[in-house]
Amino acid sequence: MARGFRSGGAAALALVLAAPLAGADEVIDDELVINGEIPIVTQAPAPEHVEAFSVIRSGWTFRSPETQAMEMDDFDNPAILGVEAARDDFDASLGANGESCASCHESPEDLAGVRAVYPKWDDAAGEVQTIEMQVNECVTERMGAEAWPYDASRMVNMSALMSFVSRGEIVNVAIDGPAAETWQQGKDMYYTRYGQLELSCANCHEDNYDNMIRADHLSQGMVNGFPTYRLKNTKLNSVHNRFKGCIRDTMAQTFSPGSPEFVALELYVASRGNGLSVEGPAVRN
Amino acid sequence: MADNVKPRVRVPSSATAGEVVTIKTLISHQMESGQRKDDAGNVIPRSIINRFVAAYNGETVIDVTLEPAISTNPYFEFQAKIPESGTMTFTWYDDDGSVYEDSQEITVG
Amino acid sequence: MTTLSRRDTMALGLGALAAAFVLPKVAVAATDDAIAAFTGGASVGQGGITLTAPEIAENGNTVPIEVSAPGAEAIMVLAAGNPNPDVATFNFGPLSGAQSASTRIRLAETQDVVAIARMGDGSFVEARQEVKVTIGGCGG
């Protein structure tokens, strides 16, 4: 709370108009360094495939100083409770084969960097997989256990642990090759108007980011901070759960967490953040 | 006992005699306020941690009365004076009678 | 079929107006009662106590606050606009390093947060600050 007032809408507009990095440095001067030791890239030049922006910004840059501060020290970040629960699960044997995550991956830290490239094409499965799908592949095929429900707290916690060990790594999701088709599907969804309100993702997070929607400061809708501890429901939330909330609020029938539609959308939205750091598990409102 | 209640504390491992140190505590707890209703419209009964005590070598540092307006996963930050080496104990009291404890050694050298 | 006369309509309006004034009074009375219970009716001064809270809370579910009153024995925190104004009371023991504490609180709506300290000499001081609680846009 010792930090000063952060830039508002006008300043951020200037940011977008300014030359990518020089402008960014001038405008948003507070930096996110977690625990005083993990620097997080919260703004970066937009990747080529994101034509609407010159600079991409983490959702962190849109939050109030108090919410931002909760993410600067792991002790102040309640999401870490989920990370710790997942560490216990990581070492626990599951299913018929008596194996745990730790049987193959010695420690969660062995998986550092994985989050940065997911969702990712999986040759054997012949599809794009999210972290959650990969976890379930291990749980069912290797451990011989029942699949975890896609959006169960156990799964969200494990996903948070996978983000935690990759914090600071630069998001670099592949959009070409075999992933291209799924990526295009996700992109088409991003620009499709849903629901009675006829809103696409782009209407809020591209056309109106940095504006207020009632009392909410609209972000660019980046997912590099997921899973995210939300003050609204005081728990960790998966990316798909957030998508569901957004689409529901357009007064549409939404897709389910884990559905092929949301997998495609996650790939596309994650790729819009190529260049930002993995920041999850973050704190948002 | 409420589900998955897990305390976390941050205490420095060493201090100089008489030093004032910062302590942080967080405990996973729903802190059900008694104001909410379930899907059927029934009031969800209150279930909170109602008291938190930190003591050093048996002497009180802080003794907090919590009401339902304390947020989920109660968080406290406060200052303690450390006269000599010893043990900081932390105790949380649940409405349901459960008591959660944690402790941490501090060496004065 | 009932038709409301102009007078009926005005009466309804006045009733609503009265209700609008009465409801906050209940909360104010509860806050006053809580303060009286803490102070035993003693007068409450200003100064010597600091309450730090955001002007605008991003979400009323989790509002960080800090209270500090050097020399205090205890500090009570109240949220005057909550259904129940009690929030927390910090009692400082002999090994308290500073009579200050931070926590995170729930605020149901825009309202005053009040902190009252009982000082070592038995006197009382208070600080209060309005915290605006925003209603979400499309919180998802």
Side-chain angles (χ1 to χ4, degrees), chain A residues 1 62-64 66-67 70 76 78 213-216 230-232 234 242 245 248-249 285, chain C residues 52-59 61-62 64-66 104 106 134-140:
Chain A
M1 260 173 276
F62 294 88
R63 302 278 56 91
S64 73
E66 293 80 19
T67 308
M70 286 179 77
D76 297 340
I213 181 162
R214 294 179 67 202
D216 272 350
R230 296 190 63 193
L231 305 181
K232 172 198 169 93
T234 60
R242 192 66 188 84
R248 184 200 59 216
D249 285 352
N285 60 322
Chain C
T52 309
E55 264 179 70
I56 300 174
E58 204 153 38
N59 191 297
N61 258 342
T62 312
I65 62 152
E66 181 180 358
R104 297 167 181 164
R106 293 167 170 156
T134 58
I135 308 297
C138 62

Side-chain angles (χ1 to χ4, degrees), chain B residues 20 26 30-31 33 35 56 59-72 75-81 83, chain C residues 60-63 79 82-98 100-107:
Chain B
V20 171
L26 182 74
Q30 191 59 37
M31 295 293 281
S33 68
Q35 301 282 344
Y56 191 69
E59 278 214 86
T60 303
V61 175
I62 197 166
D63 185 338
V64 187
T65 306
L66 290 75
E67 304 289 347
I70 294 292
S71 302
T72 304
Y75 170 91
F76 293 112
E77 181 179 337
F78 52 92
Q79 314 285 320
K81 202 184 315 177
Chain C
N61 258 342
T62 312
V63 183
N82 274 3
N84 171 354
D86 296 319
V87 175
T89 304
F90 301 96
N91 297 286
F92 301 104
L95 287 186
S96 167
S100 66
S102 302
T103 188
R104 297 167 181 164
I105 70 172
R106 293 167 170 156
L107 298 177

Side-chain angles (χ1 to χ4, degrees), chain A residues 216-234:
Chain A
D216 272 350
H217 190 191
L218 273 171
S219 74
Q220 290 182 344
M222 294 297 171
V223 295
N224 59 310
F226 277 81
T228 278
Y229 185 90
R230 296 190 63 193
L231 305 181
K232 172 198 169 93
N233 58 14
T234 60

